[in-house]
Amino acid sequence: MPAIMADTLDTLATPCLLLDEARLRTNAERMRAHLAGLGVALRPHLKTAKSIDVARIAMTSPEGPAIVSTLLEAEYFAAGGVRDMIYGVGIAPAKLPRVAAIRAGGVDLAIILDSLEQADAVADHARASGDAVPVLIEVDADGHRSGVAPGDRDTLVAIGRRLVEGGATLRGVMLHAGDSYSLRDPVALAAAAENERFAAVTAAGALRAAGLPCPVVSVGSTPTARFARDLTGITEVRAGVYMVGDLFQAGVGSVAVGDIAVSVLATVIGHQRAKGWIIVDAGWMAMSRDRGTARQAVDQGYGVVCDLAGRPYPDLLVADANQEHGIVALRAGSAAALPDLAVGARIRILPNHACATGAQYDRYHVLDGENRVTAVWPRINGW
């Protein structure tokens, strides 16, 4: 369906996804400058943005580098001219033909894995196709998810040798410090970044000591990228949600609430005045069911409610949600006054998790500094 342009927030159909272009550009430049000061390359993770227009602002060149989380993203960004990508989810053997098709289009698409079984499948693919597909071994930074233990030299070397002997290209190691998302204290976050760095350098050293190549040493998450103070031995940092921010990252301390560039535009559709509720047309289908801030020091409900200029109302949240109804109310215990929002009034809602909220939409309505809609940027979803 073709995008319909509108000049003001009053004429958009709601709910819809807004993007503040100035905040996006500021966030992207801040991360670039921070990592440049530490002497490492930035590889933006495009899983949050899912838009070539956003990617071109975040990347250091139109051809990349970048990292994606789905092969559909890889295909989409390849069609947009991105030529240097990592598919950042452990490879399933059945996906190798699709990887090969993307690579055949002139894209340097690397994959990741963390087991000998995967390495065998990749080696078989390389021998059969003649495609020396580049591979990074995923290393476990902190017990958060996948990866080989950084001190497990035998497994690292065995995987590396299996790949090289099978005709694939061993490009290096990559880590993701996912446990950093549970932190808040800047000192603890800096320590998590250093732990990530040390684990990466340890794993790279094990491969090199065995005579195996390891040109790329890749780490990254938005919190550790933001709080890293020393990246000696690291060649690149990956991060994604920093571009647009969200309430969860604000709770971590990676961004400020004033940095959040995405919001959902919603319309007031009713009131339950005896309960102190304002009902809006943005429920959990519009905001997503992500309630990640409930595990943080400040629970932001389903999102923080702002006026049309993007300024948060004091203590006003989407406190509860049904599929298409949002229940706007004051934070429990607040002494603030409920704003007088008539039926038909419009609000903006800052999301808990930009990736999950963004996944509900197929486009961004892009705002300038005067909150005028200046463009509609398509975004993709799916795998």
Side-chain angles (χ1 to χ4, degrees), residues 68-382:
V68 298
S69 61
T70 72
L71 289 177
L72 181 65
E73 291 170 24
E75 291 159 347
Y76 165 77
F77 288 113
V82 183
R83 292 290 174 264
D84 176 358
M85 284 186 278
I86 297 172
Y87 170 43
V89 176
I91 192 64
K95 295 181 180 180
L96 287 167
R98 196 170 170 194
V99 170
I102 298 168
R103 288 178 48 76
V107 177
D108 181 16
L109 179 63
I111 60 175
I112 72 169
L113 52 78
D114 66 354
S115 70
L116 284 167
E117 292 86 349
Q118 290 167 302
D120 283 337
V122 172
D124 290 344
H125 167 79
R127 278 191 293 264
S129 66
D131 178 16
V133 59
V135 179
L136 293 103
I137 301 175
E138 186 173 10
V139 176
D140 182 9
D142 52 18
H144 172 74
R145 194 168 59 196
S146 305
V148 180
D152 187 353
R153 179 186 179 280
D154 290 345
T155 300
L156 285 166
V157 170
I159 291 172
R161 285 188 174 143
R162 194 75 54 89
L163 291 167
V164 170
E165 291 169 1
T169 300
L170 178 56
R171 184 157 286 176
V173 296
M174 68 165 285
L175 296 83
H176 170 65
D179 263 11
S180 64
Y181 282 48
S182 65
L183 304 175
R184 166 73 187 186
D185 177 63
V187 174
L189 285 159
E194 171 56 22
N195 178 69
E196 182 184 39
R197 184 201 71 82
F198 182 77
V201 170
T202 298
L207 292 173
R208 291 167 181 158
L212 292 166
C214 189
V216 174
V217 184
S218 179
V219 299
S221 71
T222 286
T224 53
R226 167 71 177 78
F227 287 95
R229 297 293 175 263
D230 175 17
L231 290 171
T232 302
I234 303 303
T235 64
E236 67 175 29
V237 171
R238 310 174 321 278
V241 74
Y242 73 92
M243 300 174 205
V244 296
D246 57 28
L247 293 169
F248 187 91
Q249 289 296 325
V252 171
S254 302
V255 303
V257 170
D259 297 328
I260 299 174
V262 289
S263 58
V264 171
L265 182 68
T267 301
V268 174
I269 59 173
H271 301 86
Q272 289 288 340
R273 289 187 171 85
K275 298 178 180 178
W277 292 355
I278 300 168
I279 312 300
V280 299
D281 63 351
W284 54 254
M285 283 292 286
M287 299 305 304
S288 89
R289 276 195 176 276
D290 193 295
R291 291 279 287 105
T293 60
R295 302 190 299 272
Q296 295 181 321
V298 178
D299 183 352
Q300 304 286 23
Y302 283 85
V304 165
V305 179
C306 304
D307 64 17
L308 281 187
R311 298 179 297 247
Y313 288 105
D315 288 333
L316 196 62
L317 308 175
V318 179
D320 203 353
N322 302 124
Q323 183 166 332
E324 302 295 350
H325 294 72
I327 298 174
V328 172
L330 292 170
R331 192 185 302 277
S334 173
L338 193 70
D340 183 14
L341 295 171
V343 169
R346 296 192 164 208
I347 60 170
R348 290 165 63 176
I349 308 167
L350 303 179
N352 277 318
H353 187 175
C355 303
T357 298
Q360 311 306 307
Y361 300 91
D362 65 357
R363 69 197 69 182
Y364 296 102
H365 296 274
V366 183
L367 305 182
D368 66 7
E370 302 298 321
N371 291 308
R372 292 179 299 232
V373 180
T374 58
V376 175
W377 291 350
R379 48 168 289 131
I380 60 158
N381 293 306

